[in-house]
Amino acid sequence: MLVGLAAGGSFYEECDATWEPQNCWAYDDGNRLSLALVSSSSGSMIRSKRQFVYGTVSTMIQLVPGDSAGTVTTYYTSSLGDNHDEIDFEFLGNVSGQPYTIHTNVYAAGVGNKEMQFKPWFDPTADYHNYTISWTPCMIVWYIDGVPIRVFRNYAATHGVAFPTSQPMYAYSSIWAAEDWATQGGRVKADWSKAPFVASYHGIDLDVCECYSGGCVSTCAAAFAGGSCSSLSDAQVGKMQWVQSSYRIYDYCADPKRLVNGQKPVECDLPQY
């Protein structure tokens, strides 16, 4: 059963293959897509044709089944350049029978270090599941099957916390090898006898404010003011708290290695929903 289908345009209409296009193929009139990792240097990537500032990007993914150690499948948004903005979903593979790690992060002006990781409460290889990134002027929300798993609020003006606000982004999906760190800290490598490793996609939905230069940023910000920038409902907060208490395995705010002069990053002590 498909859960929360992303009812948008086809991959033919919305995306271009920007890396190793021979390892990417669309079918079912462009409504389905597969990305393959065939060697340590040959994966694949697609990128949306549209750039945008603010909006919601959503797709259904069935992750690589079986032994996926050393592989990373991604769904994220990013601007261009060294000082880029980025909002990440990364799915770190594992050996057969062990769960994936769902890795989230946000970059502003090229600086990230805001990782939060989860174990899935479902089998992400058995069927398609919906992964959604919502980016508004007031907050970023990561959703799985409509359940918010994380919020990152905009405290740039009030507390100086960097937040992506001014660089148009693209939406991306990719699969690539990261044997040096992806699985159990790099201790487990990919079994290339099992290649190709294939991630499958169904549907893509970009409900975004198209923007191709800095001149449209204020227009997009105004379009997402008010109701489009509201907080989560009490029910959504309850679901997110359940996910974070039961399935979160890493939070940069709780990592003693991230302390600066004995202090957590300032946003860690501020409300996030």
Side-chain angles (χ1 to χ4, degrees):
M1 180 181 68
L2 298 178
V3 183
L5 179 63
S10 74
F11 291 101
Y12 289 143
E13 296 168 345
E14 292 285 8
C15 300
D16 294 315
T18 56
W19 177 51
E20 302 283 20
Q22 74 276 10
N23 297 332
C24 166
W25 57 96
Y27 47 101
D28 187 20
D29 294 326
N31 293 311
R32 295 177 185 266
L33 179 95
S34 292
L35 298 179
L37 174 64
V38 300
S39 73
S40 60
S41 59
S42 185
S44 193
M45 175 185 289
I46 59 170
R47 187 180 78 179
S48 65
K49 296 178 179 180
R50 292 189 277 168
Q51 280 182 286
F52 52 91
V53 171
Y54 305 128
T56 300
V57 297
S58 182
T59 193
M60 307 277 292
I61 308 174
Q62 185 174 15
L63 295 176
V64 177
D67 187 346
S68 57
T71 72
V72 178
T73 304
T74 72
Y75 184 61
Y76 65 102
T77 67
S78 181
S79 62
L80 302 177
D82 292 336
N83 296 319
H84 71 294
D85 296 339
E86 184 174 327
I87 306 167
D88 288 342
F89 263 122
E90 295 185 340
F91 308 96
L92 314 185
N94 213 331
V95 295
S96 297
Q98 297 298 312
Y100 267 78
T101 295
I102 300 171
H103 176 97
T104 66
N105 201 358
V106 55
Y107 290 74
V111 179
N113 299 323
K114 302 186 187 302
E115 303 93 339
M116 194 177 288
Q117 296 181 337
F118 305 84
K119 294 296 184 188
W121 55 97
F122 52 91
D123 182 352
T125 72
D127 210 337
Y128 290 90
H129 291 268
N130 183 290
Y131 301 92
T132 296
I133 295 169
S134 173
W135 173 35
T136 69
C138 64
M139 64 181 181
I140 298 162
V141 187
W142 293 254
Y143 295 89
I144 299 178
D145 292 336
V147 176
I149 66 168
R150 179 184 180 184
V151 171
F152 187 82
R153 280 204 164 271
N154 184 356
Y155 285 112
T158 57
H159 293 82
V161 179
F163 187 91
T165 58
S166 61
Q167 298 190 64
M169 296 206 215
Y170 292 97
Y172 293 82
S173 284
S174 66
I175 185 168
W176 47 285
E179 294 183 275
D180 56 337
W181 63 271
T183 303
Q184 300 178 31
R187 291 187 297 274
V188 181
K189 310 300 183 183
D191 181 353
W192 293 108
S193 70
K194 294 182 169 61
F197 302 99
V198 178
S200 301
Y201 295 75
H202 189 300
I204 184 168
D205 187 9
L206 303 180
D207 184 8
V208 296
C209 182
E210 291 188 49
C211 183
Y212 299 90
S213 68
C216 53
V217 171
S218 59
T219 301
C220 288
F224 279 85
S228 297
C229 201
S230 59
S231 299
L232 299 180
S233 69
D234 290 344
Q236 288 176 313
V237 170
K239 290 180 179 179
M240 184 171 67
Q241 290 174 331
W242 168 74
V243 171
Q244 293 190 356
S245 64
S246 302
Y247 297 97
R248 184 170 60 192
I249 58 172
Y250 177 82
D251 180 359
Y252 75 103
C253 288
D255 186 346
K257 296 178 182 177
R258 296 295 179 85
L259 299 180
V260 178
N261 296 323
Q263 300 296 314
K264 292 187 287 187
V266 63
E267 69 273 13
C268 295
D269 291 322
L270 296 172
Q272 291 297 321
Y273 45 81

